Amino acid sequence: MRAVADDGVAYGTVGDDRPDAPVARLDLTTPAGDAKVLGAGVVIPQHTAVAGSGLFVTRDAHQNLLVALRPAR
């Protein structure tokens, strides 16, 4: 698990932390968790903040560090 939002939604990888591991969204407010595997290439937040914004940390094609704070959709 990488991040849990205020609304009870958690994001993380399935299995181990390989770069190509599938990512999933899990709704912790429901009894079953309502897990959903997200599509290939989906970037999940490293951290979440109040009102659902997410901090994303990735690398570009030249391995430069990219940091973005994005509001919830």
Side-chain angles (χ1 to χ4, degrees):
M1 189 176 324
R2 286 204 189 154
V4 179
D6 288 344
D7 62 358
V9 174
Y11 299 92
T13 55
V14 178
D16 54 24
D17 245 353
R18 306 183 323 263
D20 62 340
V23 294
R25 175 186 187 277
L26 183 64
D27 186 347
L28 301 175
T29 64
T30 62
D34 293 337
K36 178 181 179 186
V37 175
L38 303 176
V42 171
V43 178
I44 58 175
Q46 298 293 322
H47 302 284
T48 58
V50 178
S53 59
L55 177 68
F56 296 83
V57 180
T58 57
R59 300 252 179 205
D60 69 9
H62 302 288
Q63 296 302 310
N64 296 310
L65 188 62
L66 303 173
V67 178
L69 182 61
R70 304 293 303 251
R73 291 185 190 187

